[in-house]
Structures are given as structure tokens and as C-alpha cells.
Amino acid sequence: IANLHITATSGPCILIPPGVHDVTIQDNEIGPCTSASPAVSGGLNDRGIFSYQAGANITIRRNVIHDVSVGFLTQQGHHPVIFDRNYTFNILGPSWGGQVTQIADLSSGTGQSKFTCNVFDGTFPGAGLSRSRKSASPLASSRKATVRSLSSR
């Protein structure tokens, strides 16, 4: 997925579902990924990128991610995951979970996961990088798209 402006009015802007692997998300503007209602905005489902039980080789680089509850959440995934040179701002929370990245139960796979050279701007409710106990470049295009889910290959 490259050179797009990706938004959502509910749920994550990009969902990487179980079993999907070898995904590259680069040079995009991702956000806002929020509910249309201010009372609901900042909910747990308003993530920029959500990867759940995905396979290995997930690369997220050189994206601008904004107006999200969490920039990138990977849950029960596999190494390697690369999160590199992303610019993230306006993290909405909630206060206990509003981070740029959240890593939950990342395991197995080959190679090392890396979170490098990312820029966070402004204040946000949680810490910049979170890990569970278990385990910025200009955009090249102004095209808009809604990417909700990648299917298994």
C-alpha cells in the first residue's frame, strides 16, 4: 500500500487480518481514523494500523499517521515487524492506551523486529511505545482511498 491518503469513520484505517504476511505500507497519509461523533472519538477501535495474528514481514515506513487512538498495534503477530521513519501526531487516546505503537505478544518468525527513526509530535495520553508483559517524508500523492482490510494471500 503506497502513496495514498487513507481514512476511516469507524474502526482502523488499515486492518491486517490473521494469516496475512509480507505486507509493506509506505509513503501514505493515514488518518483521521476516528468516529464521526466526538463522544465516540478516541475509542479503542480508532487505530491507524491494526495487525492481528498476522504472519511475518510486516513493514510500515515513511508514513504520516494522525488523529488515531493508536498509530500501530500488532497483536499476536510474528517477527519481523519493521516500523521505520514514520511521523505520528495527534494521538487521541484513551488515556490508558494512547500510544504511537503497541506491541502485544509478538513472537516466533525469523529475523528481528525493529522500531527505528520514528518521530512523535505533540502530547498524547499514553507513552510513546508500549509492550505487553508477555512478550516522515512528504507524501508523493494526494489520492484518497479507504483501505479496510487486506485479504489472505
Side-chain angles (χ1 to χ4, degrees):
I1 301 172
N3 301 313
L4 297 172
H5 180 195
I6 302 164
T7 65
T9 56
S10 66
C13 279
I14 299 174
L15 172 64
I16 305 171
V20 174
H21 55 86
D22 300 309
V23 173
T24 298
I25 301 168
Q26 68 182 20
D27 301 318
N28 298 291
E29 179 181 353
I30 301 169
C33 308
T34 59
S35 169
S37 167
V40 180
S41 182
L44 187 59
N45 292 320
D46 297 339
R47 301 170 181 119
I49 303 166
F50 180 40
S51 171
Y52 179 69
Q53 294 181 341
N57 299 315
I58 306 298
T59 300
I60 301 165
R61 67 176 163 229
R62 298 187 313 264
N63 297 286
V64 175
I65 304 169
H66 62 91
D67 299 294
V68 295
S69 62
V70 175
F72 169 56
L73 168 61
T74 180
Q75 188 173 3
Q76 299 175 7
H78 302 281
H79 295 286
V81 171
I82 308 297
F83 191 79
D84 180 54
R85 292 175 282 157
N86 297 286
Y87 173 61
T88 307
F89 67 96
N90 204 19
I91 301 295
L92 303 174
S95 61
W96 51 266
Q99 288 111 6
V100 173
T101 61
Q102 290 180 338
I103 306 156
D105 301 327
L106 191 60
S107 62
S108 68
T110 58
Q112 291 183 330
S113 291
K114 297 178 184 178
F115 292 73
T116 55
C117 303
N118 296 286
V119 176
F120 325 126
D121 193 5
T123 60
F124 43 90
L129 178 65
S130 172
R131 180 173 169 253
S132 73
R133 285 182 263 164
K134 292 186 178 180
S135 110
S137 65
L139 299 174
S141 171
S142 62
R143 292 181 292 160
K144 293 191 177 201
T146 300
V147 177
R148 296 308 308 246
S149 178
L150 303 174
S151 60
S152 298
R153 295 180 190 204

